Amino acid sequence: QVQLVESGGGLVQPGGSLRLSCTVSGNNFSRYTLGWYRQAPGNQRELVASISSISTTTYADSVKGRFTISRDNAKNTVYLQMNSLKPEDTAVYYCNARWIGSSWGRGTQVTVSS
């Protein structure tokens, strides 16, 4: 059973930055496509950014130019650097690892508010 543990969420003012981390258990990290998703109250979970096993990245239009996804295969960790945060970025952020199956973390809360 693959386990994913997110960290790095918190409360930040508009315009601020946060870096989320997600550590994935097991020996197949380099094979995974990794994604960050978010879900705000009353909304569906949406893809924020993903990075493939060969580090091809995709981003939601709403975060392009502000967020950066990256991975460190030596540390079994995927990151989401979030800059110029807006109140509408407030959500629970989830990490996903996909290869043969799909596994999710429990999420970390990000709140952007003054």
Side-chain angles (χ1 to χ4, degrees):
Q1 182 76 12
V2 177
Q3 294 186 332
L4 291 77
V5 179
E6 301 101 335
S7 61
L11 173 64
V12 63
Q13 292 187 342
S17 297
L18 283 175
R19 188 176 81 154
L20 305 183
S21 300
C22 173
T23 301
V24 183
S25 68
N27 298 321
N28 294 310
F29 183 84
S30 64
R31 294 185 169 102
Y32 291 126
T33 291
L34 301 158
W36 285 99
Y37 291 72
R38 66 186 180 188
Q39 187 167 19
N43 290 355
Q44 290 188 334
R45 192 172 296 188
E46 63 175 356
L47 176 65
V48 176
S50 68
I51 185 166
S52 74
S53 59
I54 57 171
S55 294
T56 300
T57 58
T58 61
Y59 295 93
D61 287 343
S62 59
V63 307
K64 281 180 181 176
R66 301 189 297 122
F67 291 10
T68 303
I69 189 170
S70 61
R71 65 191 296 161
D72 186 336
N73 289 346
K75 295 182 178 180
N76 278 27
T77 301
V78 59
Y79 304 97
L80 186 68
Q81 177 67 44
M82 305 186 294
N83 299 328
S84 301
L85 282 161
K86 305 175 181 180
E88 51 263 43
D89 295 318
T90 296
V92 178
Y93 284 70
Y94 297 91
C95 180
N96 174 265
R98 179 167 51 86
W99 177 38
I100 295 174
S102 179
S103 299
W104 292 89
R106 293 187 176 183
T108 185
Q109 176 70 47
V110 172
T111 302
V112 184
S113 175
S114 55

